[in-house]
Amino acid sequence: AAVLAHHFDRANETKAAIEYHRMAARNASLRFASSDAIAHLHRALELQERTHDAELEARILTQLAEALPAVQGVTGADFPDLFSRARRLRAGDAEAFEGALTLAWLAVANLMRGNDLAAETLAGELARIPSNPSTALLSALVTGAVLYHQGDITGAAEHVTVDNADAVHVPAVGPIDLHVALSTLASVVLWQAGRPATARAQAARALSRAEADAHPFNMLLALQAKAVVDFWCGDLSTAMASARRLQEAAAHQGIDDVKAISLMIQGCIHGATGSEAEAVAAINASLEALQAHGAVMTHSFLLTIAAEALTGLGRLERAAGLLREGRQQIADGDARYYEPEIHRL
């Protein structure tokens, strides 16, 4: 496909070149060559300017935005901007699955930017789309994420435990398997809802599916959930193994905010087992990475678990400073799901 795209491009066969650049991008994504996929899609977008086809442009923008998480995570400015452009081109028409995806991702992008109200509005639009297994799974995932971000654990739990057995053939969203994403979210929500056994089952389910899928981005999602939930449930050796796998996978993919999460979990586990030097070193490394790169929807959570670990080690002044910073992060729009723990500590 890449060779044909090149030849059609040189021959000024615009529509054929666009088609084969998009096909080459899909093939590159299957090989985990996400940078190549993005290059093909940028070229398709340039060629599309000659066609004046708004729906085609929206599809390319959506495909490009879906490819970005495997390279940038979901922190890059291009991620929400591309979906916003696709949404404007479609003028609110979200009847097709492509349109539903645009709504879903735009809601997530607004969560990344701390705009809860816009995310909630978009989730509501998504929920009103005529339901089928694919859109129902999307709606459950997005609405659950919005409610969790707002700190409504009970409401989030009701959505993430939706029966998705019929949604067997839901297409992947770029590199992301929606079943993995939903199980990942369900695992952390259900632990906070007081259902630890179900939470661990969901985390194990996410990891099993991610291992079968083999795309590294799904592994990042699943390992993060597995490490956090096992840590919360007191299975420290299993949590440490998952956190180390997560660190290795994040480093390989070059996604620094996920690497920061893996280091923080390791630091907290060292703290829980009394390994003070290792705990402080890992926590400091994670905090430095957070300061440099940020962390999507998890900054206040990471500050809070660091504070708890440092409290256990007797470093109360440092812990109090992190809790103050965590409260400020929430005041500035960070996720509220771990806010009660800040007040408890």
Side-chain angles (χ1 to χ4, degrees):
V3 173
L4 288 170
H6 174 71
H7 285 300
F8 281 122
D9 205 333
R10 292 191 63 184
N12 291 318
E13 295 286 345
T14 302
K15 289 187 177 180
I18 291 171
E19 179 183 352
Y20 280 98
H21 275 298
R22 293 187 68 200
M23 190 182 302
R26 286 190 288 270
N27 292 342
S29 293
L30 290 173
R31 302 194 312 273
F32 314 141
S34 299
S35 296
D36 291 346
I38 289 169
H40 280 293
L41 291 168
H42 274 301
R43 181 55 184 158
L45 203 57
E46 291 173 1
L47 292 170
Q48 182 279 330
E49 293 177 4
R50 304 174 189 172
T51 71
H52 307 292
D53 184 335
E55 177 58 27
L56 176 60
E57 183 179 358
R59 287 177 178 271
I60 297 170
L61 287 168
T62 301
Q63 190 179 350
L64 176 57
E66 289 170 356
L68 285 176
V71 176
Q72 300 179 355
V74 288
T75 58
D78 288 345
F79 178 72
D81 290 343
L82 290 169
F83 280 115
S84 294
R85 287 168 61 189
R87 171 73 169 151
R88 288 194 298 271
L89 286 165
R90 288 194 165 109
D93 178 12
E95 296 297 321
F97 185 66
E98 287 279 349
L101 280 178
T102 304
L103 274 176
W105 274 118
L106 193 52
V108 171
N110 275 280
L111 283 185
M112 302 302 107
R113 292 180 165 181
N115 192 341
D116 281 14
L117 182 59
E120 187 175 2
T121 300
L122 290 160
E125 289 185 46
L126 181 59
R128 289 191 293 273
I129 294 174
S131 182
N132 61 52
S134 297
T135 57
L137 185 62
L138 268 178
S139 182
L141 178 60
V142 172
T143 304
V146 169
L147 292 171
Y148 189 50
H149 190 274
Q150 294 172 338
D152 184 354
I153 306 300
T154 301
E158 290 176 0
H159 283 83
V160 299
T161 52
V162 66
D163 181 7
N164 59 11
D166 292 333
V168 177
H169 301 296
V170 175
V173 181
I176 298 175
D177 181 314
L178 292 178
H179 289 279
V180 171
L182 186 62
S183 292
T184 295
L185 178 61
S187 65
V188 292
V189 170
L190 292 172
W191 185 87
Q192 286 193 257
R195 298 162 61 181
T198 311
R200 294 192 76 180
Q202 288 284 355
R205 177 183 180 185
L207 184 58
S208 175
R209 188 171 177 106
E211 288 173 334
D213 173 82
H215 196 289
F217 193 79
N218 291 311
M219 287 297 295
L220 292 179
L221 291 175
L223 285 170
Q224 184 175 324
K226 188 77 166 59
V228 169
V229 171
D230 284 337
F231 169 64
W232 279 339
C233 291
D235 188 348
L236 300 185
S237 61
T238 303
M240 180 63 85
S242 295
R244 285 172 173 161
R245 286 182 67 189
L246 178 63
Q247 180 183 359
E248 182 180 348
H252 182 70
Q253 289 296 108
I255 301 180
D256 293 304
D257 56 320
V258 177
K259 184 178 177 182
I261 293 168
S262 71
L263 286 169
M264 186 63 77
I265 296 168
Q266 291 178 61
C268 292
I269 294 170
H270 284 307
T273 56
S275 302
E276 183 171 356
E278 291 89 342
V280 172
I283 289 170
N284 286 341
S286 176
L287 292 173
E288 288 172 9
L290 282 177
Q291 189 172 24
H293 304 288
V296 176
M297 295 170 55
T298 58
H299 203 151
S300 59
F301 161 68
L302 294 175
L303 291 170
T304 306
I305 65 173
E308 184 163 23
L310 292 170
T311 297
L313 297 171
R315 302 193 176 210
L316 302 183
E317 185 174 347
R318 180 86 186 282
L322 293 179
L323 291 174
R324 286 192 294 271
E325 187 179 345
R327 291 179 68 181
Q328 186 59 51
Q329 288 287 332
I330 288 173
D332 291 341
D334 196 37
R336 308 186 73 90
Y337 59 85
Y338 219 61
E339 186 178 16
E341 287 298 293
I342 292 181
H343 296 295
R344 181 183 68 81
L345 286 167

